[in-house]
Amino acid sequence: MTWDYLIVGAGFAGAVLAERLASQCGATCLVIDRRAHIGGNAHDHYDAAGVLLHSYGPHYFRTNSERIVAYLSQFTEWHPVEYKILSWTHGRFWQFPINLNTFEQLVGHPATSEEMERTLAEWRVPITEPRNSEEVIVSQVGERLYEMFFKNYTRKQWRRDPRDLDASVCGRIPIRLNRDDRYLSDKFQALPRDGYTAMFHKILAHPKIEVRLQTGYREASAQIPHRHLIFTGPVDEYFEHRFGPLPYRSLRFEPETLTQEFFQPAMQVNYPNDHDFTRIVEIKHATGQRLPATTIVREYPEDFGPGKEPYYPIPAPDTRALYERYAALAAQETGTTFVGRLATYRYYNMDQVVGMALAEFEKLRAARR
Ligand code: FAD
Ligand code: UDP
């Protein structure tokens, strides 16, 4: 049989496109993934102690788009969570992201938003258009808070100086003059009630969709007749690294199960200046699971290379220049759609990838008419 669509990748990009094309156009979709599971990096699983873990680092779903919530709500109920995290440095926990409570911790006495604003106005480095991740922070809070919370975390995570990263990287962390201590500012913040994997099973349940796991594109595609290809893997890999490899950052996750209900006071504690890991995640705080045991996960940044997953594209002018060369090839590739975080080399959140997949679906539907 000839499939209408061969879809490479069973993460958000691939799964949403398969669902839309199958349910709205009656198209047959074969979804392949080289991993042994669906969900891409959003996959979650129960470990030996029965703790529901996010397999590839914490995945806090958030969005300002009612359309995206409505779309995903066909496949899941929601467990509302206010994501709250802490930062550990100088021998104590700090409220993070920086807000009025953090400021009080720093100055050691009760303060008002006006006092915080006056003080920050003195500390800020005057830069009207921040061009990189150092400038975006020092222009808002000055050198001292930048060095406490951002400089070394960013160096650890990206193995680059913050000056060599787009402003959007550190700029995605909010800085507030009030007591709002949520990590994220979006209107809708919730986790799929039964987990991401359960949600993906429902997204992919349509009878016109077949999923084949542990199936790599390069090895399998010649034996899979198809009319159109949707590729959600790394774009440089698709073109066999013709212009050289795009750089990515990878991670190593080290889980540890403990026979106590909780290990730390929040679902995530960042370690900007201590240790080789960037954060310890105890996702049980967010999922609301009740269990006598807990599992924490330490996250160590690593270079990308053989046997490693390309978790993060690196947002910076030099990497973008290389990506643009691949994007030009991709634009010429007839019969193929490139979509998702790796195929478009963008540091996108889950909701942005869902939005991108829904937009691509509209283009593919229009092309079928
Ligand atoms: P992926 O989920 O990467 O899926 C692509 C799939 O394609 C993978 O399963 C891969 O195995 C498969 N594939 C690739 N190449 C091939 C090939 N050649 N053959 C077969 N299969 C292939 N987003 C948020 O909104 N909130 C968060 O809190 C958040 N935290 C994150 C934390 C970490 C550590 C990471 C890495 C990401 C985080 N994200 C978060 C981002 C989120 O993971 C992505 O936005 C989303 O999963 C991207 O979906 P995707 O389908 O584009 O890619
Ligand atoms: N960051 C930082 N200190 C922190 C938290 C974040 O310097 O305590 C910077 C760092 O460069 C990080 C980026 O902000 O990579 C984005 O942080 P986020 O928590 O959103 O990263 P993700 O969950 O995507 O890894």
Side-chain angles (χ1 to χ4, degrees):
M1 113 178 228
T2 299
W3 294 89
D4 290 326
Y5 296 92
L6 170 60
I7 302 180
V8 181
F12 269 104
V16 167
L17 271 160
E19 188 283 325
R20 287 289 84 185
L21 289 162
S23 72
Q24 304 302 301
C25 305
T28 54
C29 299
L30 175 62
V31 181
I32 61 169
D33 202 300
R34 60 183 164 206
R35 293 177 175 175
H37 60 70
I38 57 173
N41 284 338
H43 177 76
D44 54 14
H45 71 279
Y46 289 88
D47 71 2
V51 182
L52 178 60
L53 290 184
H54 291 182
S55 316
Y56 303 99
H59 274 69
Y60 308 134
F61 187 82
R62 74 314 189 103
T63 188
N64 286 316
S65 164
E66 285 170 23
R67 181 167 153 261
I68 288 171
V69 175
Y71 172 72
L72 291 176
S73 298
Q74 300 174 82
F75 313 104
T76 187
E77 306 276 323
W78 296 97
H79 168 66
V81 198
E82 290 206 322
Y83 305 118
K84 293 199 181 182
I85 76 158
L86 295 168
S87 186
W88 172 272
T89 185
H90 298 67
R92 63 178 291 190
F93 290 113
W94 297 82
Q95 293 255 338
F96 195 81
I98 295 169
N99 63 73
L100 181 54
N101 300 329
T102 323
F103 180 72
E104 287 182 340
Q105 289 184 288
L106 191 70
V107 295
H109 61 76
T112 59
S113 300
E114 292 70 33
E115 181 185 346
M116 183 173 176
E117 170 53 31
R118 272 199 308 278
T119 309
L120 291 187
E122 285 169 23
W123 291 356
R124 279 179 198 131
V125 178
I127 300 167
T128 32
E129 275 181 39
R131 283 162 311 172
N132 58 55
S133 270
E134 177 178 311
E135 291 185 0
V136 77
I137 300 299
V138 297
S139 65
Q140 294 182 85
V141 297
E143 300 278 359
R144 182 176 175 196
L145 288 166
Y146 165 70
E147 295 204 352
M148 270 178 85
F149 295 115
F150 290 92
K151 186 176 174 177
N152 294 328
Y153 186 111
T154 299
R155 284 184 168 169
K156 236 194 292 192
Q157 168 75 3
W158 300 96
R159 212 213 268 227
R160 273 187 177 224
D161 192 278
R163 265 179 296 227
D164 300 324
L165 285 167
D166 284 356
S168 59
V169 175
C170 287
R172 62 195 244 129
I173 307 297
I175 287 168
R176 305 194 184 98
L177 296 173
N178 58 24
R179 293 191 194 278
D180 182 355
D181 60 350
R182 294 170 309 154
Y183 197 38
L184 310 162
S185 301
D186 307 56
K187 272 192 291 195
F188 182 84
Q189 307 193 12
L191 293 174
R193 194 195 58 195
D194 301 322
Y196 287 99
T197 301
M199 180 177 77
F200 274 93
H201 275 295
K202 291 201 174 146
I203 296 177
L204 291 165
H206 195 281
K208 291 211 175 247
I209 301 175
E210 185 179 319
V211 179
R212 286 187 204 156
L213 298 174
Q214 294 174 292
T215 304
Y217 167 68
R218 192 86 28 226
E219 304 75 49
S221 61
Q223 291 89 51
I224 304 174
H226 55 276
R227 296 190 178 85
H228 191 95
L229 176 70
I230 294 173
F231 190 81
T232 79
V235 64
D236 56 331
E237 184 191 309
Y238 178 90
F239 290 108
E240 296 177 311
H241 307 108
R242 195 175 306 175
F243 305 128
L246 277 166
Y248 300 91
R249 288 299 285 162
S250 195
L251 296 168
R252 176 166 50 90
F253 301 101
E254 270 192 19
E256 184 183 357
T257 298
L258 304 160
T259 50
Q260 61 199 69
E261 200 180 357
F262 286 106
F263 166 77
Q264 61 187 25
M267 62 187 192
Q268 179 176 318
V269 177
N270 291 356
Y271 290 85
N273 302 310
D274 300 78
H275 307 293
D276 291 338
F277 48 83
T278 49
R279 53 191 180 188
I280 300 182
V281 174
E282 189 172 25
I283 204 68
K284 215 179 134 200
H285 283 280
T287 57
Q289 222 188 347
R290 285 274 167 93
L291 272 181
T294 190
T295 302
I296 59 170
V297 182
R298 294 184 178 83
E299 222 170 284
Y300 294 85
E302 290 201 330
D303 293 342
F304 174 60
K308 302 271 172 224
E309 286 287 338
Y311 289 116
Y312 294 88
I314 302 179
D318 56 315
T319 61
R320 192 160 38 253
L322 181 54
Y323 166 67
E324 292 301 340
R325 299 182 68 194
Y326 283 109
L329 283 185
Q332 287 162 16
E333 192 79 350
T334 48
T336 306
T337 300
F338 294 85
V339 58
R341 177 152 144 147
L342 298 168
T344 63
Y345 200 69
R346 286 198 175 90
Y347 184 13
Y348 264 4
N349 296 321
M350 293 177 281
D351 62 322
Q352 294 171 300
V353 171
V354 173
M356 192 189 226
L358 293 176
E360 284 300 330
F361 163 67
E362 292 302 341
K363 286 190 212 159
L364 290 170
R365 173 154 70 176
R368 292 172 65 86
R369 287 196 181 121

